[in-house]
Amino acid sequence: MRIKAKKLGAVAMSCAVMMSALTGCGGEKVEDTQSTDTSTTSASSETDSTASGDSEDKASGDIKEFDMFIAMPGDEINDDNEIQQIIAEKTGCKVKETWLTGQTDAEAVGTIIAAGEYPDFINGGEAMMTLYDNGVLIPWDDYLDNYPNLKAFYTDEEWDKFRMDDGHIYWMNVFGNTLGESKTTTHNDEAFWVQAKVLAWDNYPKIETLDQYFDLLERYAEANPTTEDGQTVIPYTMLCEDWRYFCIENAPEFLDGYPNDGSVIVDKENMKVVDYNTTPTAEKYFRKLNEEYNKGIIDTEFATQTYDEYIAKLSTGAVLGMCDQNWDFNYTITDVFKQSGLDEQGCNYIPLGLTIEPGMEQRWHTYDDTLNMSSGVAITTDCDDIEAAFQFLDDLCTQEIRDLRFWGVEGVDYNVDEDGLFYRTEEQRANWSDPTYKASHICDYSYMPQYHGTSEDGKNANKPEEQTSEFFDTLAQPVIDCFEAYGVDTYPEMIGSVVESNGPWFPMYSYSNNMTSATPGGVAWVKMGEVKHEWLPKVVMSGDFDSTWADYMSAYSDTKPEDFLAEMQEELERRAGQ
């Protein structure tokens, strides 16, 4: 695939009207956590606001068309998408995005490599190392200094963490960076989730432990076996497909009170890695799932359902609870609920930070920015205009383009009050959640660089969902009632994790995700995943838990997890500067 260039003629009349509402040019992030630490990105606000060039000059020139593959499910937008056209006129570039459909990350990337033709931009998800190993990515080192907005996205120290073993940088993670003051209102991380109406039914009880959580689901399902429209209630479901099997396998680290290092627990007191797959809590957790499955509380289709089937099931409002990352389901489900009215029935999901025993501290919510170096957006060797590709990334970091991507067009998608604060009307919010409007009008380039936190004006949030007034105005009444009952104002307050910064090693999964079979630890890591994929559903569905758990532990031991843990310990010590 190669860059195409074509002349953009007159934009559609509605698009031209919207462009007239925008003033000025140039100006000077989404799917993981927010931060109160402003030190890493404050330089962005100091970059030259005209770095993206003159809008009128770009509008009169050729528009470069790039293409991008993203190894995540997503919805393609229309070719004549209005905001995409506006961004193209202002930056001189547009990107045709294609998404993962019916394949795993590895399968999709393998197909691309086998064909020998690459998109200009690519995010390979869990298969980034395959792209790197095949030499199809452009190193960034000779380019970054020329693009100040892009370079300011990270500090020099943070950029260095993306360097591969050959010393070069090949991609950046586009999520989780906070600019200015934190505006955190959402919990974008993992949690045990429960519908707001379930909490309301039990008069908003205090739910701290796994046992209390399942007790609530059992009692509600017994009293309410069907939904308002007659569907059979599914008290709890799980996702086991491909890399998303974290929805079943990694809860033990959280239930023991640790943050999401993803592949190991880090015992900070002793600076040792711990295997969460074999802890007493892991056995208790899977024993509980086994008990609930045999009671009929857990979805009988959990072991074989695909991601699309899982999302479709959640979208019906029949599923009371599950364990998942917010970004994995909620951006889709929320809009579906709004369109169908299920939000006003109390079907929106509320996060709970559970522990294995009452009274324990828990760290389900991460307050720091999470620097995940294992994947991100890259530019391939098939890109014929590398400078233009980098310039587009740079332009996307400017405030004007960020506002277009996430707020839309002033006067059309949002308004500005007398104090300069952005807000939306009910009609504008309804439009923003409508699939047809999204396809024809909204272009957020969701896997390109983006910021949380405060805009350069010092007033508004970079994301509407982090604008305090807008956040509350978008909440369905059952969620508002829930917040009031628990005395909280935001989802992070609802989950109630310990407020602390994580160590320089966090998250450890940014290392394990890029392990390869070139080392004994990497071989063990692959085998561990294969064994867990095979055995964990068996453990949950077994009629004899003790026997099946013993067989699973035997098979797991045969993978030599000690090789993996040894390499993770070495990496922990390196990151901690020991």
Side-chain angles (χ1 to χ4, degrees):
M1 302 179 186
R2 301 285 180 177
I3 291 180
K4 288 75 59 181
K6 72 174 183 179
K7 193 80 169 181
L8 260 188
V11 182
M13 181 61 68
S14 60
C15 193
V17 171
M18 286 183 284
M19 286 185 66
S20 69
L22 296 164
T23 58
C25 162
E28 50 156 308
K29 149 178 171 181
V30 179
E31 354 358 182
D32 299 331
T33 51
Q34 296 77 36
S35 173
T36 55
D37 180 3
T38 64
S39 62
T40 61
T41 57
S42 59
S44 293
S45 62
E46 300 172 5
T47 57
D48 184 2
S49 65
T50 62
S52 63
D54 183 85
S55 297
E56 294 182 2
D57 290 345
K58 291 190 177 185
S60 64
D62 288 341
I63 301 299
K64 293 185 179 295
E65 292 191 6
F66 296 98
D67 46 20
M68 179 178 185
F69 173 71
I70 303 157
M72 287 286 288
D75 296 319
E76 293 192 23
I77 60 177
N78 297 349
D79 289 339
D80 59 351
N81 179 280
E82 292 166 336
I83 289 179
Q84 186 179 56
Q85 296 283 55
I86 296 172
I87 293 174
E89 294 283 359
K90 290 182 172 294
T91 66
C93 297
K94 67 187 299 187
V95 175
K96 174 66 175 178
E97 299 167 307
T98 57
W99 304 81
L100 189 70
T101 55
Q103 291 179 301
T104 66
D105 306 31
E107 290 169 343
V109 169
T111 299
I112 292 172
I113 291 174
E117 293 185 348
Y118 308 101
D120 306 302
F121 294 101
I122 192 167
N123 186 319
E126 300 290 305
M128 291 299 295
M129 282 301 295
T130 304
L131 294 163
Y132 167 70
D133 289 339
N134 279 271
V136 303
L137 304 180
I138 294 294
W140 290 31
D141 309 72
D142 293 336
Y143 297 95
L144 273 176
D145 285 341
N146 299 325
Y147 304 96
N149 296 300
L150 180 62
K151 185 175 183 183
F153 195 85
Y154 290 123
T155 65
D156 289 344
E157 180 183 10
E158 288 170 331
W159 278 114
D160 283 341
K161 293 181 179 181
F162 285 90
R163 295 191 185 280
M164 304 303 293
D165 53 13
D166 66 357
H168 295 300
I169 298 166
Y170 290 91
W171 61 75
M172 66 178 293
N173 192 290
V174 301
F175 300 119
N177 231 358
T178 300
L179 183 63
E181 178 187 356
S182 173
K183 296 284 188 177
T184 303
T185 56
T186 60
H187 173 71
N188 209 30
D189 303 341
E190 193 163 345
F192 279 92
W193 301 83
V194 63
Q195 290 182 331
K197 66 182 180 184
V198 178
L199 294 171
W201 172 82
D202 202 35
N203 196 30
Y204 304 106
K206 185 176 183 179
I207 304 294
E208 293 182 289
T209 68
L210 191 67
D211 287 339
Q212 293 168 347
Y213 175 75
F214 276 109
D215 175 68
L216 175 62
L217 297 184
E218 288 180 37
R219 290 186 289 109
Y220 181 90
E222 182 178 6
N224 304 273
T226 61
T227 63
E228 289 189 19
D229 59 359
Q231 298 180 81
T232 300
V233 161
I234 302 171
Y236 188 83
T237 194
M238 295 183 288
L239 187 59
C240 299
E241 186 187 33
D242 194 34
W243 57 271
R244 286 186 173 88
Y245 86 121
F246 65 77
C247 296
I248 181 175
E249 71 91 28
N250 72 351
E253 65 176 328
F254 295 108
L255 291 171
D256 266 336
Y258 293 94
N260 188 23
D261 271 299
S263 52
V264 292
I265 285 171
V266 174
D267 175 358
K268 292 195 293 186
E269 290 186 6
N270 300 302
M271 287 308 296
K272 297 292 183 183
V273 297
V274 177
D275 187 353
Y276 63 71
N277 298 286
T278 58
T279 62
T281 293
E283 182 175 355
K284 291 178 183 178
Y285 164 67
F286 285 105
R287 184 183 296 277
K288 186 64 177 178
L289 294 184
N290 176 265
E291 292 173 356
E292 297 301 326
Y293 181 84
N294 285 300
K295 289 179 182 178
I297 297 301
I298 293 180
D299 182 9
T300 57
E301 298 175 339
F302 84 89
T304 57
Q305 66 184 342
T306 65
Y307 176 72
D308 289 343
E309 291 168 340
Y310 170 77
I311 291 296
K313 195 173 293 182
L314 296 185
S315 299
T316 67
V319 177
L320 305 183
M322 68 284 175
C323 182
D324 201 350
Q325 293 270 352
N326 180 74
W327 51 260
D328 195 38
F329 73 95
N330 224 358
Y331 292 109
T332 301
I333 299 303
T334 298
D335 288 343
V336 172
F337 285 175
K338 286 180 180 178
Q339 293 295 310
S340 64
L342 288 172
D343 58 341
E344 294 301 333
Q345 294 180 27
C347 290
N348 286 111
Y349 290 101
I350 304 297
L352 300 175
L354 306 182
T355 54
I356 199 63
E357 300 291 344
M360 295 174 61
E361 292 183 340
Q362 49 87 5
R363 294 166 177 81
W364 288 83
H365 184 78
T366 299
Y367 295 90
D368 290 337
D369 288 337
T370 299
L371 187 62
N372 177 10
M373 297 84 73
S374 65
S375 66
V377 61
I379 300 171
T380 77
T381 53
D382 267 12
C383 180
D384 284 345
D385 195 337
I386 298 171
E387 289 83 1
F390 275 108
Q391 184 62 59
F392 185 64
L393 292 175
D394 190 83
D395 290 341
L396 290 179
C397 293
T398 64
Q399 189 65 59
E400 180 189 25
I401 305 303
R402 297 204 306 263
D403 287 347
L404 279 167
R405 292 165 65 193
F406 300 108
W407 280 98
V409 177
E410 182 181 344
V412 176
D413 300 303
Y414 71 97
N415 304 313
V416 183
D417 70 15
E418 60 185 11
D419 296 320
L421 291 175
F422 296 176
Y423 70 95
R424 284 180 173 151
T425 65
E426 284 297 329
E427 181 182 3
Q428 288 168 338
R429 294 186 198 105
N431 287 339
W432 206 258
S433 64
D434 180 73
T436 302
Y437 191 80
K438 284 183 172 182
S440 66
H441 181 74
I442 300 171
C443 176
D444 58 12
Y445 286 126
S446 57
Y447 278 78
M448 292 294 198
Q450 54 194 265
Y451 285 108
H452 294 288
T454 314
S455 298
E456 290 176 8
D457 60 15
K459 299 178 181 179
N460 291 291
N462 282 302
K463 300 287 188 68
E465 62 266 28
E466 297 181 359
Q467 189 91 324
T468 303
S469 58
E470 189 62 27
F471 170 70
F472 281 110
D473 286 342
T474 59
L475 294 179
Q477 190 61 46
V479 177
I480 294 174
D481 293 343
C482 181
F483 279 10
E484 289 179 349
Y486 287 103
V488 302
D489 294 323
T490 66
Y491 286 103
E493 290 179 19
M494 181 69 208
I495 205 165
S497 294
V498 174
V499 179
E500 65 181 18
S501 294
N502 289 305
W505 56 83
F506 185 85
M508 291 298 291
Y509 65 74
S510 66
Y511 182 77
S512 56
N513 281 1
N514 279 342
M515 296 181 82
T516 70
S517 58
T519 67
V523 172
W525 176 237
V526 172
K527 291 181 177 179
M528 288 160 60
E530 292 172 347
V531 165
K532 287 190 284 185
H533 268 100
E534 175 186 357
W535 279 93
L536 293 182
K538 291 181 181 180
V539 166
V540 173
M541 296 185 290
S542 174
D544 183 350
F545 176 82
D546 290 323
S547 175
T548 308
W549 181 261
D551 290 342
Y552 163 51
M553 285 290 96
S554 177
Y556 183 80
S557 178
D558 289 343
T559 68
K560 296 187 176 180
E562 64 273 12
D563 290 344
F564 166 72
L565 294 171
E567 291 183 21
M568 293 300 286
Q569 180 66 38
E570 183 179 350
E571 177 64 10
L572 171 65
E573 293 170 2
R574 186 192 71 79
R575 292 186 178 192
Q578 294 184 345

